[in-house]
Amino acid sequence: MNKIDQALYEFREMDELADQDSLVHRFPVLPKVLLTILYILIVLSFHKYDLSSLSVMILFPVFFYQLSGIPLRKCFYKLRFVLPLVMAVGILNPFFDHTVIMKIGPLSVTGGWISMLTLMLKGILALTASFLLVATSGIARICAALRRMHVPSVLVTLLLLTYRYITVLSEEVSVMSNAYHLRAPRQKGIEYSAWGSFLGQLLLRSMDRAEEIYQAMLLRGFHGHFHYVDEKPASPKDWLTGLLIGALIVFCRYYNVASFLGSLFVR
Amino acid sequence: MIEMKHVSFRYEAGKEILDDISFRLEAGESVGLIGANGAGKSTIMKLLSGILFGDGEVLIAKTAVNPKNLYEIRRKLGYVLQDSDDQMFMPTVYEDMIFAPRNYGLSKEETEERIDAVLEKLDLKELKHSRNHKISGGEKRMAAIATILAMDPEVILMDEPTASLDPYNRRLVINAINSLSQTKLITSHDLDMILDTCGRVILLDQGKIIADGKTEEILRDQKLLEAHRMELPLSFTRR
């Protein structure tokens, strides 16, 4: 399997993850989307030096990944190209922020190091939460939930079609790449001299296929917005569960659970 | 049910793709549109479905095909594309099947009823919730036909419905086509399939109608076929 096929396989695996069955999968998507947004906002709201309080927020993804049956390592593996970017966000902080926050023996820990770790953790937590939402809901159900939240139809359609066209583009790249390598068996990649025509052809082929798909949509009455699969609406019990989880997330933001736990062990 | 009156088409500053085409299909008729590559078959299909517009008059169920009434025209017409991957653009067969009925305002209950009936008719019930990328080429072609039947169209256009199918799946598609009572216009290079599914054939070459008549008569005419870069169906050459 070449790299493109592998990427396509991994991309489609997200749909298969969403087809699994667990409490998290069965939980209605609308409250799930709202909880994910709340969780991300709360995570992002922590102060840059508040690493200890933020660390408690790790418990949420750990718990819900366990409950959903999706291994956390799968998330980290799939996000392996994005995570380094997230990690890089705060990498310069130690060079600019020399404020000493605490001392561990003779070692001074500066604000730069703490804020770097906080930023990294925030990014990782936001990504793992988003991944869990997609992996337990599927893009179509998320789009349906977004429409129910009155997110403009054009934005939701754009999201759904982007998701659809990623596979169209990847399939075209895969076909072209296979055709290239079958006639250039000793080359590892695609020669620089062929990049221009390769990309040009890719663009033309993708546009042709995109046009075909769009025509297929028009031929079946598409006039600007999708009708999504009707999902059973969230019951009062679902909303109550969502509310409790939301309350717990907010509680962890305003009550320092980490220092409470620490005080149980250290006087 | 389908009528083309003196239709011509050319791309801007290009050569004429269709030249004064006229034919008429009665309700319930199944007609094969055959011809070598570049004869103009796909252009006729695109003109009938309002993807392209040319000179002359195109009518579907007595309604003229023009940019103003495309929504109405496409409600009456189902177009099975050659490439099922393009046709099946939603993640699952079910989501693809509800796409058209919901766009045309059917309620959830009506849509469910209709797609269950179509899946039953085509014996595809087990595919209902399958992911489109997980099903085989043959299943995808049948599912693509199902998405069109879910629209309950009066007219069905099919572009190479048996292309790249194995014999078993090809036979399934032929049986499915024969079970449909709608007016059908089918383009194909698979002349044996045309022989099995169509009572009438229109032979095109270089944008002109060369022959229009009974399938058996035209497909048995070796001289006529060879003069227009075609061959006898395999089932005739074996006899």
Side-chain angles (χ1 to χ4, degrees):
Chain A
M1 204 186 288
N2 69 27
K3 280 182 187 170
I4 307 292
D5 288 335
Q6 174 71 28
L8 200 56
Y9 172 78
E10 280 188 36
F11 190 74
R12 284 174 168 163
E13 207 187 2
M14 291 300 290
D15 289 332
E16 280 156 40
L17 289 177
D19 284 343
Q20 289 178 4
D21 188 30
S22 75
L23 267 177
V24 185
H25 285 81
R26 284 194 297 272
F27 195 65
V29 181
L30 184 55
K32 206 158 35 175
V33 170
L34 291 171
L35 276 174
T36 308
I37 294 170
L38 174 74
Y39 176 79
I40 291 172
L41 289 176
I42 291 282
V43 160
L44 296 180
S45 74
F46 278 89
H47 190 267
K48 62 179 180 175
Y49 296 150
D50 208 358
L51 184 59
S52 69
S53 302
L54 179 64
S55 60
V56 174
M57 301 304 281
I58 296 172
L59 295 175
F60 289 96
V62 168
F63 176 73
F64 286 111
Y65 270 80
Q66 280 297 316
L67 206 60
S68 67
I70 296 172
L72 250 173
R73 68 169 185 282
K74 184 153 262 175
C75 163
F76 287 117
Y77 180 73
K78 284 195 184 291
L79 297 175
R80 63 193 181 280
F81 298 113
V82 189
L83 283 172
L85 297 175
V86 172
M87 306 292 261
V89 169
I91 211 148
L92 292 176
N93 288 18
F95 299 104
F96 296 112
D97 184 354
H98 299 290
T99 323
V100 177
I101 300 286
M102 60 176 171
K103 287 197 169 225
I104 304 172
L107 197 72
S108 301
V109 180
T110 65
W113 284 102
I114 299 289
S115 63
M116 181 189 81
L117 291 174
T118 307
L119 267 176
M120 285 176 176
L121 191 57
K122 281 181 180 183
I124 291 168
L125 292 178
L127 278 177
T128 48
S130 312
F131 181 89
L132 186 67
L133 175 68
V134 179
T136 58
S137 312
I139 196 73
R141 286 174 73 206
I142 292 173
C143 288
L146 291 174
R147 280 301 293 139
R148 278 198 290 278
M149 287 164 64
H150 300 285
V151 174
S153 173
V154 65
L155 287 180
V156 180
T157 302
L158 196 67
L159 176 67
L160 192 71
L161 289 181
T162 304
Y163 193 84
R164 172 70 178 95
Y165 282 102
I166 285 173
T167 55
V168 172
L169 187 70
S170 310
E171 281 165 6
E172 291 301 332
V173 175
S174 174
V175 168
M176 287 176 64
S177 161
N178 284 338
Y180 181 93
H181 286 109
L182 283 169
R183 283 178 291 159
R186 287 189 182 166
Q187 276 180 35
K188 267 198 162 180
I190 293 165
E191 255 190 15
Y192 290 119
S193 59
W195 270 93
S197 53
F198 191 90
L199 287 175
Q201 276 299 316
L202 176 64
L203 182 70
L204 291 175
R205 290 169 68 124
S206 305
M207 279 167 63
D208 278 349
R209 282 214 54 198
E211 183 64 29
E212 285 277 317
I213 292 169
Y214 183 59
Q215 290 299 345
M217 289 164 66
L218 289 179
L219 286 167
R220 285 198 275 151
F222 181 69
H223 49 280
H225 67 271
F226 277 88
H227 293 277
Y228 300 96
V229 175
D230 293 299
E231 198 187 42
K232 202 177 75 178
S235 65
K237 197 176 134 194
D238 295 324
W239 283 114
L240 189 67
T241 312
L243 219 66
L244 285 173
I245 298 169
L248 196 61
I249 292 171
V250 175
F251 175 77
C252 289
R253 170 69 183 87
Y254 292 104
Y255 185 78
N256 196 336
V257 182
S259 96
F260 168 73
L261 290 174
S263 70
L264 293 179
F265 301 103
V266 183
R267 287 194 174 213
Chain B
M1 188 55 78
I2 297 179
E3 194 165 4
M4 281 192 139
K5 291 183 189 168
H6 306 292
V7 174
S8 298
F9 180 81
R10 70 165 68 209
Y11 288 101
E12 265 178 58
K15 70 162 190 169
E16 198 121 77
I17 307 290
L18 293 178
D19 182 15
D20 195 24
I21 298 285
S22 296
F23 65 84
R24 182 186 162 89
L25 266 69
E26 300 302 334
E29 225 182 339
S30 182
V31 176
L33 193 59
I34 62 170
N37 290 334
K41 304 184 296 290
S42 298
T43 308
I44 287 185
M45 298 300 234
K46 285 180 179 171
L47 287 166
L48 287 170
S49 54
I51 294 173
L52 296 175
F53 298 95
D55 302 327
E57 201 176 359
V58 181
L59 299 163
I60 300 284
K62 293 178 185 164
T63 310
V65 178
N66 61 48
K68 284 179 193 160
N69 57 11
L70 280 183
Y71 189 75
E72 195 188 335
I73 288 291
R74 287 168 177 173
R75 191 178 195 139
K76 297 175 180 176
L77 178 140
Y79 189 173
V80 181
L81 301 180
Q82 183 177 350
D83 189 343
S84 306
D85 280 325
D86 292 343
Q87 181 118 29
M88 308 288 286
F89 46 79
M90 295 297 279
T92 64
V93 172
Y94 175 73
E95 284 164 83
D96 247 310
M97 286 193 73
I98 66 166
F99 186 82
R102 297 306 299 275
N103 276 333
Y104 286 114
L106 258 71
S107 69
K108 188 189 164 195
E109 291 73 27
E110 286 171 315
T111 305
E112 282 293 326
E113 231 170 75
R114 191 182 278 183
I115 64 173
D116 282 343
V118 169
L119 290 171
E120 174 93 44
K121 183 184 170 82
L122 298 180
D123 199 17
L124 294 176
K125 276 191 287 184
E126 72 283 3
L127 287 188
K128 186 173 177 181
H129 295 289
S130 302
R131 294 244 162 230
N132 284 336
H133 69 266
K134 297 280 260 186
I135 60 179
S136 71
E139 288 172 331
K140 203 174 277 183
R141 190 66 51 86
M142 289 295 284
I145 294 173
T147 63
I148 294 306
L149 292 184
M151 296 167 67
D152 195 20
E154 294 173 41
V155 173
I156 300 178
L157 309 180
M158 290 183 165
D159 194 357
E160 298 279 0
T162 54
S164 63
L165 291 184
D166 61 44
Y168 175 77
N169 282 303
R170 177 180 170 277
R171 179 48 55 189
L172 286 183
V173 169
I174 289 173
N175 292 343
I177 294 172
N178 283 333
S179 71
L180 306 176
S181 56
Q182 287 92 339
T183 308
K184 300 179 286 279
L185 182 64
I186 304 168
T187 71
S188 186
H189 295 298
D190 180 354
L191 299 185
D192 291 281
M193 182 273 290
I194 293 288
L195 198 59
D196 273 355
T197 56
C198 303
R200 179 179 149 203
V201 153
I202 297 172
L203 171 62
L204 280 179
D205 195 10
Q206 294 182 20
K208 288 185 178 151
I209 293 182
I210 305 300
D212 181 350
K214 285 187 178 165
T215 307
E216 277 262 343
E217 284 172 14
I218 292 178
L219 295 189
R220 275 189 186 280
D221 191 337
Q222 190 167 1
K223 272 188 184 168
L224 175 73
L225 292 175
E226 285 179 357
H228 299 285
R229 293 182 292 155
M230 302 194 73
E231 287 182 348
L232 283 177
L234 284 174
S235 49
F236 288 163
T237 55
R238 276 195 231 108
R239 284 175 199 169

